Amino acid sequence: MDLFHILSEDRIKKAYRDGEFDNLPGYGKPLELEDLSYIPEELRMAYKLLKNAGFTEEENHLRQEMMTIEDLMKRCDDNIEKAEMQKKFNEKLLRFNQLMSKRRGHTNSTIFKNYQLKIQDKLK
């Protein structure tokens, strides 16, 4: 054991004796552990970081759907079908903006589109 470890342990023990941990939220209650078994081990840390930053699976799913709909609209020749896709896209965008406003994020869709274009350019 190094000196830093010994000093840290001593300070923790002193704080515990002095009752500094008694009023912490969740004191005496079991920990609420998340089941991350469905996430590959090498991606768990990234998943936790994104989740703690406020990114949700629903938000990611909506982004993917919007990108798919936009791609389909670019390739569609039928105006009626294109109008239906535009309606679906607008619904997804509205839901996405609602999620972002709950998170107090930036809801400007042009930033998202610019980011999408940059990724597409790199993948080409």
Side-chain angles (χ1 to χ4, degrees):
M1 250 193 268
D2 64 349
L3 181 62
F4 180 73
H5 185 75
I6 294 170
L7 288 173
S8 299
E9 285 294 319
D10 287 343
R11 286 189 177 188
I12 292 170
K13 287 177 185 175
K14 182 183 181 311
Y16 187 76
R17 280 193 310 269
D18 293 344
E20 293 181 32
F21 299 131
D22 291 345
N23 295 324
L24 292 176
Y27 179 78
K29 297 176 186 172
L31 293 176
E32 294 180 24
L33 299 175
E34 290 184 74
D35 179 25
L36 300 177
S37 61
Y38 62 94
I39 297 173
E41 200 169 314
E42 62 273 6
L43 297 177
R44 287 181 187 163
M45 182 59 71
Y47 173 81
K48 290 290 289 177
L49 286 170
L50 288 171
K51 186 174 180 189
N52 290 342
F55 289 95
T56 64
E57 291 179 35
E58 183 181 6
E59 176 186 330
N60 188 37
H61 185 68
L62 283 171
R63 282 179 196 242
Q64 290 174 346
E65 286 181 350
M66 289 183 343
M67 286 173 33
T68 302
I69 292 170
E70 278 188 322
D71 193 38
L72 289 171
M73 284 190 319
K74 288 177 188 174
R75 296 185 174 136
C76 182
D77 294 330
D78 185 14
N79 289 336
I80 296 171
E81 192 174 341
K82 197 179 244 186
E84 289 175 19
M85 282 190 260
Q86 183 66 48
K87 183 180 176 186
K88 284 183 185 179
F89 177 81
N90 290 341
E91 291 169 0
K92 303 286 183 192
L93 184 61
L94 180 64
R95 178 67 185 136
F96 178 78
N97 285 338
Q98 288 172 342
L99 285 174
M100 294 299 285
S101 66
K102 283 182 186 176
R103 191 172 71 134
R104 291 187 177 89
H106 194 68
T107 58
N108 189 344
S109 61
T110 57
I111 290 176
F112 174 62
K113 288 181 182 181
N114 290 338
Y115 181 68
Q116 175 191 357
L117 293 173
K118 286 180 183 179
I119 290 174
Q120 287 175 347
D121 288 340
K122 288 189 177 193
L123 294 175
K124 288 181 182 178

